Amino acid sequence: MARNKLAMIGGGQIGQILALQAAQKELGDVVIYDIPQVEGPMKGKALDITQMAAAEEFDSRLSGTSSFEDIAGSDVVIVTAGLPRKPGMSRDDLLKTNVDIISKVANGVKQHAPNAFCIIITNPLDAMVYAFHKVSGFPKTQVCGMAGVLDTARWRAFIGMELDVSVEDIAGTVLGGHGPTMVPLPRLTTVGGVPLTEILSADRIEAIAKRTREAGTELVNLYGNGSAFFSPAGSAIQMAESYLKDKKRVLPCAALCEGEYGIDGLFIGVPCRIGAGGVEKIYEIALTDDEKALLSATVEAVKKTTSEVKL
Ligand code: APR
């Protein structure tokens, strides 16, 4: 059986961890694509990870390139190409520059890897997935954004820290746009099967929800010169793995809603089933009135950013 092939479009902070994790998990062979100015460092990263293989015992082959044709035949494409946030910048400040980059990337992927399952990470996330989908013309099942898995991982991490319990036993979901309007759902979060709302006060839950909404900014401020990279990479790898192994995991992803939750024509974070068919299904959760109000606010925010894409 031929190995799978994964293309990382953008081999910066996140791209390099994506390459490393894909190799460590033996998801397939990995191509790191970036602009010609950094082709040397991309080849270096690929070679460096290759030289880790003996110690870590993996057999993926890695390469670095600035030629788009080298991504040919990729099963999965993960896009981080673009500029990251600096302190004081919102995700939306990045919009125009990153729309141009994403448009180029979408054309390249369309030409060289038209069957790849595409996971977008570049911010502002919901708008970038929209742009990629629009330019590529790919079916909606083939394109999604990585945001909800990360937002949920942050939510789970903070709850685990608060309660001093294993993060593995915390289940929950975060809906909506990848920004300060995202909607963690305490009512549907459980700790070892016990509803979170029964074991933590409303005040503490709200404090954790607030920290979750601002988790990306907390890291931008700590790093001082870039944004989160370990956790976004790990989240996208989970999605890629579910696709490649047809695991059919239910993960919150930025998917194209066409009527679900009353949303039409927007990519936004909703629970999805990711399997060999890509985004195979979107689950609609019955929400309370308060949750509906929060969702409607995040939809408005995503609508506004998406309208600025102008494609
Ligand atoms: N094609 C391919 N790669 C590109 C292009 C392009 N047209 N333009 C820029 N890049 C590359 C850069 O050369 C760089 O190596 O994208 C990479 C981005 O890496 P970093 O600057 O290190 O950014 P990173 O932290 O990885 O974040 C990437 O993900 O979470 C989001 O907000 C974040 O939009 C940002 C993206």
Side-chain angles (χ1 to χ4, degrees), residues 10 12-14 33-35 80-84 98 101 121-123 227:
Q13 298 262 68
I14 301 176
Y33 167 87
D34 210 301
I35 52 176
T80 58
L83 301 187
N98 285 354
I101 293 174
I121 303 185
T122 307
N123 275 317
S227 49

Side-chain angles (χ1 to χ4, degrees), residues 103-187:
S103 300
K104 278 193 207 122
V105 167
N107 279 317
V109 175
K110 187 179 179 180
Q111 192 180 346
H112 297 288
N115 299 317
F117 180 56
C118 302
I119 302 170
I120 315 303
I121 303 185
T122 307
N123 275 317
L125 190 272
D126 308 275
M128 292 304 112
V129 196
Y130 175 88
F132 185 97
H133 176 254
K134 186 109 187 170
V135 174
S136 67
F138 287 167
K140 64 177 179 179
T141 49
Q142 201 182 329
V143 180
C144 65
M146 187 296 299
V149 178
L150 172 59
D151 298 330
T152 304
R154 288 169 165 165
W155 170 241
R156 291 169 62 195
F158 295 143
I159 292 168
M161 286 155 63
E162 172 89 11
L163 296 174
D164 192 21
V165 298
S166 166
V167 75
E168 282 178 39
D169 294 322
I170 301 165
T173 197
V174 177
L175 296 181
H178 187 48
T181 58
M182 71 181 71
V183 186
L185 291 172
R187 182 177 64 87

Side-chain angles (χ1 to χ4, degrees), residues 209-230:
K210 182 170 185 296
R211 189 171 179 194
T212 302
R213 289 191 292 266
E214 293 166 3
T217 303
E218 183 177 358
L219 284 167
V220 167
N221 292 334
L222 286 170
Y223 279 132
N225 192 28
S227 49
F229 56 103
F230 291 109

